[in-house]
Structure formats: C-alpha cells, structure tokens
Amino acid sequence: MEELMVVANVAIVFGVIYKLFELYVRRQERIMLIEKLSSGWRPEEFKGNLLPQFSSSGNWALRGGCLMLGLGLGLLVGFILTLMFFQSYIVSDEWSGKIQNSISVIYGSCLLLGGGLGLIVAYLVEMNRLRKEKGHE
C-alpha cells in the first residue's frame, strides 16, 4: 500500500506542475493571438491548421470502443503468452518472485500495446472518415 501512495503522490505533484506550466503557456498564446488580431489579422487566417480538426460528435465513442477492444485483446494475448511460457508453474502451487514479475511484465506490456493499437486504429478510422467527407464536399 505504501508503494501506491508514493506513486500517487508523485503523480499528483507532476500533474499540478504540468497544469501550472500549461496555464502559463496558454496565457502567453492568448496574449500573442490578441496582439496579432489587433495588428490587422483576420480570424479567417487562423482556420487553416497543420493538424486535422476532428468533429467531436461520435468520435469519443469510437476512441473509447477501440481503446477497450485493444485493452481486452491485450489482456487475452497476455493470458495466452502466460499459458504458453509458464504453463508448468500455473498448474502447480510453486510461484517464485521472478516468475510473478515476468507474468506482470507480460500482462502490462500486452495491455499497453493493445490499448495503443486500439487508439491508432481509432485515429486511422477518423482520418479515413475525414478524407471521405472532404472528398464529397
């Protein structure tokens, strides 16, 4: 339990520091934007962004669904890998610390890889949908 408190405290401190820096940077960006607008720039010139703008309708469900699907598949792959490599230890009651650590690493890495792949698939689907919408307009 003490290990979790250390991790939680570090996460909270990091989160607060990050938000303070983000607040300061956004304030500077807003000031620069106001200065550019007052010097004669038109708001239409800011519409062309380098990054694609996604509409918020329905994409959160797609992202969440792909994330959950990826996490579930990652857990399944981790379970299968554990059965393949540590089958003799799962059947018996003999558990060593190294084997428990190895199993934890397998589950954690498969879970993160699956979640990341799910988010990449959601991004690709959104980009494909955006290209189709731009092609029809």
Side-chain angles (χ1 to χ4, degrees), residues 95-102:
W95 288 91
S96 69
K98 289 183 181 180
I99 293 174
Q100 286 179 344
N101 288 340
S102 299

Side-chain angles (χ1 to χ4, degrees), residues 90-136:
I90 290 175
V91 175
S92 68
D93 291 334
E94 184 181 324
W95 288 91
S96 69
K98 289 183 181 180
I99 293 174
Q100 286 179 344
N101 288 340
S102 299
I103 290 174
S104 298
V105 168
I106 288 173
Y107 274 116
S109 62
C110 288
L111 189 68
L112 292 173
L113 283 173
L117 288 175
L119 289 175
I120 290 171
V121 167
Y123 176 77
L124 293 175
V125 168
E126 288 179 33
M127 288 299 294
N128 193 14
R129 187 184 299 170
L130 187 66
R131 282 191 202 123
K132 285 182 181 178
E133 287 177 3
K134 282 188 177 181
H136 289 291

